[in-house]
Amino acid sequence: MISPDVSDADAPARAPAFSRPALPLLALPALLLALALLMLAQAGYTGEDDAHYLFAADAWRSGQWFLGVNHWHLRHPHVLAIAASFALFGRNEGAMILPTVVAFLGVITLTVWLVRRVADDWTAVFAGLLVAATPAFVLYAKIPYPDVGELFYGVLSFALLWKGLETSRYRWFVLSGLAMAFAWLIRPSCAPFILLYGLLFLNGYRVPRSRYLAMGIGFAPPILAEWLYYYLRAGDPFYRFAVDMHSLEIPTAHMMGGVAHGLRPPFNAELMAKWVPNSMVDVHWLVNPYIDFLTSPSFGLLYSAAIIAAFLLLRDRRLQPEIRQFAWIMIALALLWIFVTIYVLNLRPQPRYFLPATWCACILAAMGLRHVLREKGRLPAFALLAILIVSDAALVSARKDPMEAERQLAAFAASRDGPMTSDLGKARFFLEQRGMAGRVTIIGEGRRPPAGLFLTSSDQVESWSEKGVSGFKPAPARPSWLDRLWAVVVPQKVYAKLRPRRDLMLAEVPDVSSAPRSSPTG
């Protein structure tokens, strides 16, 4: 249990090992907070990368041994988890995001377990709450992307490694390697974890180096199994790498200039200069990623708190050596992740690519809050924690749903008879969920809609007006409970700027073929 005596500066920084029933109790506040914020978050299927995962999951469910033609299809732990969820709960949006939600809750539980073993109850609770509240974790837990799954297996691998460091037993290192193999099969961008393990191996940290080598025993079987599968299906055991090498040839709106062709050489300045910043601050491509860490709504105040916490921890001479070493390991993993992601893999610095670094920041910030709790008492520590959680909750709720218009289209189509046309191709998924796959005719980009009712999103009205389609008005839609809540909290004009909407708009397109034509003049 959490000790009530938190003001004694001479108290040991580490509490004795907890009994089994204590873990659910310590993790419960964070798990409840996570579930509440998941309900608050406006996120789900986006029709982007997850459309490929949906296609691959459907292919596996159909009974075929699906090979895959792009790098999204080849992330088998993620794809097969979605396919299994569909098989159990049906093909719907809830089942599609269930694997990432479970992985998110697993990350929280593992974080509490790990930090409790390193530090104490208070630090573990703080760490769990910060992971549960961080917008990047919450939002990407509700979007069926592989980032949270990759984080889960990475954190599981690290937690098993730490158990091995405590006991020096081979089996924990083997299991750690096995978990890392699943992270690798989701996405090889988990390489910074392996680099960190290599540094610990070279240092001979806490156990003989032979223990670290045992991780390869667990890592090898899943990788070899995938190689065998690719050899049997494609005749090339390294099929994944051949596909990944061409991933940059896929068009993307995230780069100014569209497509970067060829391979991904490290320190590719030409590619990095094309990145679009994530925050509203655009200084220079060399420093924009670091500004994003401090200003992006996906992180809130977390990285600022983590930097301050790291400074406080490393200058605290009373900190136990093991806790100080753990803080350095968290700093090293975060820096390795940032360096490899930006400069070696040349991935555009989107918040979702930095979830492991953000996890390290949560732990460092939690250790900083524990330092404040010990040195200054409960009020300052709990006030800082409340500021972090409340601001995170506001950022989560303020994020607009990128599929707002598509969801409204599915609801509108269910309440109205007659032919309808739309350019919102991503709405097909939501129409299928309602059993109305052919209810709305979807037209391709650039095509003029036929006569009759035409529906589009509010951000496309100006474009269609330029093409001669006018008279748009908002489709009837009932505001969500979140919109009604925000309308009470802040003025409507302020809310419109804080949370710009993407509503469904409709217009009656006239039949131009039957319109009277003017007679030609001589």
Side-chain angles (χ1 to χ4, degrees):
M1 298 295 292
I2 299 177
S3 170
D5 183 13
V6 297
S7 59
D8 184 2
D10 297 324
R14 181 178 180 181
F18 62 95
S19 59
R20 288 179 181 271
L23 177 60
L25 180 63
L26 292 176
L28 184 61
L31 294 174
L32 293 176
L33 175 63
L35 292 173
L37 291 179
L38 286 170
M39 294 177 62
L40 196 65
Q42 301 289 299
Y45 178 79
T46 67
E48 298 289 342
D49 293 9
D50 47 2
H52 299 280
Y53 303 131
L54 178 66
F55 180 86
D58 286 339
W60 280 99
R61 285 184 66 222
S62 68
Q64 61 175 298
W65 290 84
F66 183 60
L67 178 61
V69 297
N70 59 44
H71 60 292
W72 296 296
H73 294 162
L74 306 183
R75 291 164 180 171
H76 291 124
H78 181 63
V79 168
L80 293 177
I82 294 175
S85 183
F86 283 169
L88 291 173
F89 305 106
R91 189 181 184 277
N92 55 73
E93 187 179 21
M96 192 172 185
I97 67 173
L98 181 62
T100 51
V101 169
V102 172
F104 175 45
L105 300 179
V107 168
I108 293 172
T109 305
L110 286 169
T111 301
V112 173
W113 179 88
L114 173 66
V115 175
R116 176 59 183 80
R117 298 191 74 87
V118 175
D120 58 16
D121 291 341
W122 280 111
T123 313
V125 171
F126 291 156
L129 289 171
L130 291 178
V131 171
T134 300
F137 294 135
V138 176
L139 295 173
Y140 285 107
K142 284 197 71 175
I143 298 175
Y145 281 17
D147 307 272
V148 176
E150 177 191 33
L151 174 67
F152 169 76
Y153 285 113
V155 172
L156 176 60
S157 173
F158 186 85
L160 292 168
L161 170 69
W162 200 263
K163 178 71 172 179
L165 294 176
E166 291 179 340
T167 63
S168 192
R169 292 182 177 177
Y170 278 104
R171 67 170 177 262
W172 298 114
F173 292 89
V174 173
L175 292 173
S176 175
L178 179 64
M180 183 49 57
F182 282 99
W184 180 273
L185 292 178
I186 288 180
R187 199 165 56 192
S189 57
C190 66
F193 273 109
I194 300 175
L195 292 176
L196 176 69
Y197 297 164
L199 293 176
L200 297 177
F201 165 79
L202 293 175
N203 185 259
Y205 182 67
R206 295 183 62 173
V207 295
R209 291 185 175 88
S210 60
R211 302 298 192 275
Y212 290 99
L213 294 177
M215 298 175 73
I217 300 174
F219 185 82
I223 305 301
L224 294 175
E226 186 189 55
W227 287 1
L228 177 62
Y229 175 72
Y230 288 141
Y231 177 75
L232 296 175
R233 293 286 288 116
D236 180 6
F238 307 115
Y239 177 78
R240 170 195 282 267
F241 299 102
V243 172
D244 271 344
M245 285 180 180
H246 297 284
S247 62
L248 270 185
E249 297 178 6
I250 299 173
T252 172
H254 296 156
M255 294 187 296
M256 303 172 184
V259 181
H261 294 281
L263 301 181
R264 207 185 249 129
F267 309 103
N268 189 338
E270 179 185 0
L271 175 60
M272 291 188 284
K274 296 179 180 180
W275 287 332
V276 179
N278 290 296
S279 66
M280 298 177 64
V281 182
D282 184 2
V283 177
H284 189 273
W285 61 267
L286 282 173
V287 297
N288 283 342
Y290 304 100
I291 296 175
D292 290 345
F293 288 130
L294 301 177
T295 61
S296 172
S298 296
F299 304 129
L301 302 173
L302 176 64
Y303 275 93
S304 299
I307 292 171
I308 296 172
F311 175 77
L312 293 174
L313 291 169
L314 298 180
R315 66 189 297 267
D316 183 1
R317 297 185 177 181
R318 293 177 298 170
L319 199 64
Q320 287 191 356
E322 182 182 353
I323 299 178
R324 181 185 299 275
Q325 292 168 5
F326 185 79
W328 273 115
I329 290 173
M330 290 293 99
I331 293 172
L333 178 57
L335 294 179
L336 276 172
W337 197 278
I338 292 169
F339 179 83
V340 171
T341 300
I342 296 177
Y343 302 109
V344 178
L345 299 178
N346 286 153
L347 295 175
R348 184 237 177 178
Q350 300 182 74
R352 67 188 182 96
Y353 291 147
F354 298 98
L355 295 191
T358 306
W359 175 73
C360 296
C362 288
I363 293 178
L364 289 170
M367 296 171 75
L369 287 172
R370 181 64 179 94
H371 177 87
V372 173
L373 182 64
R374 186 175 64 248
E375 299 294 330
K376 303 297 182 181
R378 295 186 179 185
L379 183 59
F382 291 164
L384 290 172
L385 178 65
I387 290 172
L388 290 171
I389 293 177
V390 171
S391 61
D392 284 345
L395 291 170
V396 168
S397 64
R399 182 187 184 273
K400 67 177 182 178
D401 183 0
M403 293 287 102
E404 200 163 25
E406 285 77 3
R407 296 178 192 276
Q408 291 177 7
L409 171 59
F412 180 79
S415 63
R416 183 184 177 98
D417 296 326
M420 286 171 276
T421 307
S422 176
D423 62 337
L424 301 177
K426 295 177 182 179
R428 288 190 181 95
F429 177 83
F430 303 105
L431 291 167
E432 290 172 0
Q433 305 313 298
R434 293 174 176 263
M436 301 183 298
R439 184 71 181 79
V440 179
T441 302
I442 305 296
I443 63 172
E445 184 178 354
R447 285 188 55 192
R448 180 180 173 83
L453 186 62
F454 176 64
L455 303 106
T456 188
S457 58
S458 54
D459 57 348
Q460 294 296 320
V461 168
E462 183 178 352
S463 174
W464 280 111
S465 298
E466 294 174 354
K467 298 174 183 177
V469 181
S470 58
F472 284 98
K473 59 181 181 180
R478 182 181 179 184
S480 67
W481 67 270
L482 187 59
D483 289 325
R484 295 194 295 271
L485 176 63
W486 272 100
V488 174
V489 175
V490 297
Q492 192 62 31
K493 291 184 178 180
V494 176
Y495 175 56
K497 293 182 178 180
L498 288 175
R499 192 172 183 271
R501 295 180 57 83
R502 184 174 173 268
D503 285 316
L504 183 68
M505 306 293 288
L506 57 84
E508 286 288 346
V509 180
D511 187 356
V512 294
S513 62
S514 61
R517 299 180 180 179
S518 58
S519 59
T521 58

